[in-house]
Amino acid sequence: MELTQWARPNILQLKPYSSARDEYSGEAMVFLDANENPWNQPWNRYPDPLQRELKKKVAQLKETDPSLIFLGNGSDEPIDLLIRIFCEPGQHNLVQIEPTYGMYAVAAGVNHIAVTGVPLSGDYQLDARRLLAAVNPATRIIFLCSPNNPTGNALDSAEMVKVILGFPGPVVVDEAYVDFSRKGSLLPRLSEFPNLIVLQTFSKAWGMAGLRLGMAFAAPEIITLMNRIKYPYNLSSLTQRTALELLDTEARKEEWVHTLLTEREGLAAALASVPCVEKVWPSDANFLLVRVSDARKIYGLLTDRGIIVRDRSRILLCDESLRITVGTPGENEILIRALHDISRNEPF
Ligand SMILES: *Cc1c(COP(=O)(O)O)cnc(C)c1O
């Protein structure tokens, strides 16, 4: 069965909005087709709806083809579009690991799609057999996240492949933190799996969270469906121009990643010697999940000192856990000092 056959019939039949820039996308002397203001260049012009120049550059960077790339307003956009392409509101469901990134369930909720969460093992690993057992005839997408948020670890790639092979419908693997992992990406194997959709983002390693630029990689038929239902001009000229410039600075990104990985190891070791810290989980991302003696209290005491971390203690399998982003060497030192200080002053 073709993967497009998993799409909702109304999406397959949809005649998309055709913009002026869709109808004519080349160079010209005079543009009088889009009701734009002729002054205030370059912002008077509508942006390229398919971001051709930017996709060419992303394709080079990721060693893939532009026809396999969708660019969105953050990863949030492809997450929402994929749910809307494949899941019929009020009828279908998606399956995800638990705990994981909260956006899949929020996007599902907005679209009236039920979510079945399958708990990871005690050491936050994926059991493909257990996940696939949660699939039923109304399941239309599986969401995996590797390295996973908030646990920080990469999922075992052999188990992920078992999921991709064991479910004929779309399997999304969110690799937002892949630049920080030594365990690799599934992107080079995209052509092996027609039902695989890989998400990546410029928000983390590339330091562009404010720009809102996310990527989806999938078979061209899936990319075509995503382009069909997206807002015509989903990425502004400002985003496209700025990203084109910033993608030339890959060396800087590599340096940031290198520093953050060194800092991650240093921070993990320093945290392990803090009295109120009970466990520091191994991380393949730019953050650490840390179990402490009293997460709520320590979160509050850190906030009082102007240090903000994420309290994840109400999340399944994350009892008494804080999620701590790796910062600059100076920021990490401030955090460690504060935690030692808190441990000294409070009877834990
Ligand atoms: C941060 C993060 C993203 C990135 O989202 P954007 O919308 O691209 O900023 C995606 N997935 C996960 C799991 C994340 O933690």
Side-chain angles (χ1 to χ4, degrees):
M1 188 151 127
E2 282 271 321
L3 193 63
T4 47
Q5 296 311 304
W6 285 75
R8 295 160 66 199
N10 64 308
I11 302 292
L12 290 172
Q13 285 154 21
L14 183 78
K15 190 176 176 306
Y17 175 76
S18 177
S19 69
R21 282 290 78 73
D22 285 322
E23 280 186 17
Y24 187 89
S25 62
E27 297 297 315
M29 185 166 60
V30 179
F31 275 108
L32 300 175
D33 60 346
N35 297 350
E36 296 152 338
N37 185 321
W39 297 290
N40 200 33
Q41 291 208 18
W43 312 114
N44 60 327
R45 298 296 176 195
Y46 279 101
D48 176 2
L50 291 172
Q51 308 103 18
R52 280 162 260 238
E53 217 184 324
L54 184 52
K55 273 184 193 161
K56 206 190 282 177
K57 203 161 218 174
V58 172
Q60 282 167 4
L61 186 76
K62 299 289 177 183
E63 298 177 339
T64 185
D65 190 83
S67 65
L68 310 178
I69 304 175
F70 173 87
L71 297 177
N73 189 319
S75 308
D76 298 337
E77 185 181 3
I79 291 167
D80 176 62
L81 294 183
L82 288 165
I83 290 173
R84 285 197 279 151
I85 286 168
F86 293 108
C87 305
E88 204 67 69
Q91 292 180 30
H92 292 150
N93 68 67
L94 66 80
V95 170
Q96 67 174 22
I97 54 175
E98 209 77 61
T100 195
Y101 186 45
M103 263 318 283
Y104 320 134
V106 170
V110 169
N111 291 293
H112 195 190
I113 302 305
V115 175
T116 306
V118 180
L120 294 170
S121 66
D123 59 352
Y124 299 137
Q125 262 309 329
L126 169 67
D127 179 339
R129 216 167 39 103
R130 199 165 162 206
L131 190 96
L132 290 168
V135 168
N136 68 27
T139 301
R140 284 299 180 279
I141 309 193
I142 293 177
F143 274 91
L144 301 175
C145 182
S146 178
N148 187 34
N149 180 3
T151 60
N153 62 305
L155 302 180
D156 185 81
S157 66
E159 288 300 296
M160 287 198 285
V161 167
K162 280 188 206 166
V163 172
I164 296 163
L165 293 173
F167 179 65
V171 177
V172 179
V173 179
D174 185 343
E175 296 186 344
Y177 299 98
V178 76
D179 305 79
F180 304 105
S181 172
R182 296 185 175 97
K183 301 193 177 137
S185 166
L186 281 173
L187 187 54
R189 300 183 67 181
L190 196 63
S191 61
E192 250 179 86
F193 309 114
N195 61 332
L196 172 62
I197 299 159
V198 174
L199 301 185
Q200 293 186 5
T201 181
F202 288 105
S203 293
K204 307 284 156 67
W206 283 88
M208 302 186 206
L211 267 193
R212 310 308 301 131
L213 184 56
M215 298 162 267
F217 302 90
E221 306 83 62
I222 303 304
I223 301 298
T224 301
L225 288 177
M226 296 175 84
N227 286 333
R228 188 184 288 195
I229 72 164
K230 76 182 183 75
Y231 288 163
Y233 304 108
N234 59 326
L235 292 190
S236 74
S237 309
L238 203 54
T239 300
Q240 295 188 45
R241 279 167 179 258
T242 312
L244 269 171
E245 273 174 39
L246 291 177
L247 291 194
D248 283 334
T249 60
E250 198 185 4
R252 214 171 46 138
K253 171 238 169 194
E254 295 297 338
E255 202 179 302
W256 287 334
V257 169
H258 180 80
T259 306
L260 287 171
L261 292 187
T262 308
E263 280 302 303
R264 182 178 79 195
E265 302 322 312
L267 183 61
L271 284 167
S273 69
V274 171
C276 67
V277 170
E278 291 178 352
K279 181 167 179 80
V280 182
W281 290 94
S283 172
D284 301 297
N286 66 335
F287 62 86
L288 293 163
L289 187 70
V290 178
R291 197 176 70 237
V292 294
S293 47
D294 187 335
R296 222 184 175 137
K297 188 164 171 187
I298 292 167
Y299 172 84
L301 291 168
L302 284 172
T303 304
D304 292 344
R305 288 166 161 79
I307 302 166
I308 315 302
V309 297
R310 199 86 199 267
D311 180 3
R312 302 278 73 184
S313 56
R314 282 167 296 260
I315 285 179
L316 186 79
L317 300 178
C318 295
D319 288 350
E320 303 299 351
S321 297
L322 301 175
R323 194 193 67 191
I324 302 175
T325 308
V326 180
T328 64
E331 289 170 334
N332 301 333
E333 198 181 314
I334 290 171
L335 170 80
I336 293 297
R337 276 176 198 221
L339 285 172
H340 274 293
D341 212 38
I342 287 168
S343 299
R344 249 193 315 277
N345 294 338
E346 301 288 326
F348 284 109

